[in-house]
Amino acid sequence: MGSTRRTGRTWRGTVAATACAAALAALTAAPAQAHEPERRVPHWQLKDTGTPDARFRGLAAVSRNTAWAAGTGGTVLRTTDGGATWRNVSPPGAAELQFRDVEAFDARRAVVLAIGEGEASRVYRTDDGGTTWTESFRNTDPKAFYDCMAFFDHRHGLAMSDPVDGRFRILSTGDGGRTWRVLPSEGMPPAQEGEAGFAASGQCLVTSGPKDVWLATGGAARARVLHSADRGLTWTATDTPLPAGDPARGVFALAFRDRTHGLAVGGDFRPDQPSPRAAARTADGGRAWRPAAMPPAAYRSGVAWLPHSRSAALAVGPTGTDLTTDGGRTWRTVDTGSYDTVDCTPDQACWAAGEKGRVARLEH
């Protein structure tokens, strides 16, 4: 095992990963001064998915080469070559479903969530790269509407529904999404009038570590974040400074880089409405949220920390992408393309997805 000889594949992968790391480093660098040579600015490079009619609000970035996208028309796509080619791996008979979230463990194993009232809310799982799918959950409660899904590890995960009988409903799996059960509601605080989750990016439910999970809400008098430290059995609710008081306003997405440091983005999703205070940050696990001193310029539906960074993150929405390099205190627009969701990987790649079949990877 002591040989230093590289295979061609390993060498190319190392070069590509280094290039991606350089792109992220350049993105977070301070803007060039007037006397400095112009830097090449990293940008989203669109990948041709061949599905211009789909809108991808579900995205699972496994690595710089492998990513899954899930969207309208029951569409699920997978790439294993960095977006050069895409395989349509949509579950059969799902054309009427709206996939809004996908969680992938690797190139072969993934779980997708379809949203909607009653039986429109479903979960499917694949173990063979999407060649075959198993429907592992179908909602039978007409009052439930599932929005988002998140996993702690390859086995343990949760899905959340809008309030049923006055409380958010939590679905739990301990076998990688093969079977699911509804958790008891006693540990969930009462929902506000009109409160719900937003199935906008697959990021209204997020985890960090083996047991911590956060849930984002909107549509009510106060936009809140709920936190559980025991995999969804008991929860505490905290108000955020994000826009509220209307069904179109609230927290749309969360991202935590560890158990304490988190970001919240959202606003008002109506294109003709302003979204002041569209971002907030926490440094105590969500017990308190502070508004960004310089928030994104408009509504944002997705957010992700840059790989291995303690201070840099990206937020995306229909009108552009914003970057923070100070842990969410200030944001600046770095791209004006339309994206709904964003995800970054341990090997230093970032992907985004959205309307008109758009999937992109950050390039230098």
Side-chain angles (χ1 to χ4, degrees):
M1 296 294 292
S3 171
T4 58
R5 181 173 60 88
R6 300 179 187 268
T7 65
R9 177 178 297 177
T10 301
W11 176 254
R12 287 192 298 273
T14 302
V15 171
T18 301
C20 191
L24 294 178
L27 184 67
T28 59
Q33 301 300 314
H35 61 276
E36 293 180 354
E38 183 177 354
R39 299 191 186 112
R40 293 182 61 193
V41 179
H43 60 283
W44 290 119
Q45 180 176 330
L46 284 169
K47 308 294 182 178
D48 185 5
T49 64
T51 54
D53 296 330
R55 184 166 193 164
F56 295 114
R57 294 184 183 270
L59 174 66
V62 176
S63 69
R64 74 173 317 275
N65 288 321
T66 299
W68 300 68
T72 55
T75 306
V76 180
L77 304 183
R78 185 193 67 151
T79 182
T80 56
D81 56 12
T85 61
W86 294 84
R87 180 182 170 203
N88 189 324
V89 295
S90 306
E96 300 301 315
L97 299 179
Q98 302 286 326
F99 289 128
R100 294 292 180 91
D101 202 353
V102 55
E103 302 290 329
F105 308 124
D106 49 41
R108 298 183 61 80
R109 297 176 296 165
V111 183
V112 295
L113 171 72
I115 67 148
E117 297 178 351
E119 294 192 4
S121 285
R122 305 180 194 180
V123 177
Y124 293 81
R125 180 190 161 99
T126 183
D127 288 299
D128 55 14
T131 300
T132 61
W133 294 86
T134 300
E135 181 184 306
S136 59
F137 172 77
R138 182 180 297 204
N139 174 53
T140 56
D141 189 333
K143 294 178 289 185
F145 185 115
Y146 286 85
D147 299 294
C148 292
M149 174 177 60
F151 277 80
F152 302 94
D153 52 42
H154 288 187
R155 294 176 55 206
H156 301 92
L158 302 175
M160 61 151 292
S161 164
D162 289 340
V164 176
D165 298 328
R167 298 175 192 268
F168 283 94
R169 173 169 289 180
I170 303 296
L171 201 63
S172 174
T173 180
D175 54 14
R178 294 177 179 87
T179 60
W180 299 82
R181 67 184 180 95
V182 175
L183 293 182
S185 63
E186 288 78 12
M188 178 67 70
Q192 302 174 86
E193 180 68 27
E195 192 172 25
F198 290 110
S201 60
Q203 296 176 328
C204 60
L205 186 73
V206 301
T207 64
S208 181
K211 293 185 177 181
D212 285 276
V213 56
W214 294 263
L215 186 162
T217 82
R222 302 181 308 280
R224 305 195 297 175
V225 172
L226 281 62
H227 171 236
S228 170
D230 55 12
R231 288 185 183 160
L233 293 176
T234 60
W235 298 78
T236 55
T238 303
D239 293 350
T240 75
L242 269 70
D246 186 275
R249 298 176 188 158
V251 182
F252 282 72
L254 298 168
F256 277 78
R257 66 172 173 83
D258 53 36
R259 294 183 66 237
T260 57
H261 297 87
L263 301 170
V265 301
D268 190 319
F269 70 73
R270 294 170 295 191
D272 60 336
Q273 295 295 313
S275 286
R277 310 183 315 280
R281 69 189 192 278
T282 181
D284 58 9
R287 287 188 292 271
W289 292 87
R290 300 178 63 184
M294 187 182 298
Y299 154 74
R300 295 293 180 252
S301 55
V303 62
W305 289 93
L306 268 60
H308 313 299
S309 174
R310 298 177 60 84
S311 59
L314 293 169
V316 300
T319 62
T321 299
D322 296 286
L323 169 74
T324 179
T325 56
D326 55 15
R329 292 173 180 83
T330 62
W331 296 82
R332 62 184 173 93
T333 301
V334 294
D335 185 89
T336 56
S338 174
Y339 297 101
D340 294 313
T341 187
V342 59
D343 196 15
C344 298
T345 67
D347 65 347
Q348 300 190 324
C350 289
W351 295 77
E355 62 181 344
K356 300 179 181 178
R358 292 166 62 90
V359 179
R361 193 179 67 185
L362 196 66
E363 307 286 354
H364 189 49

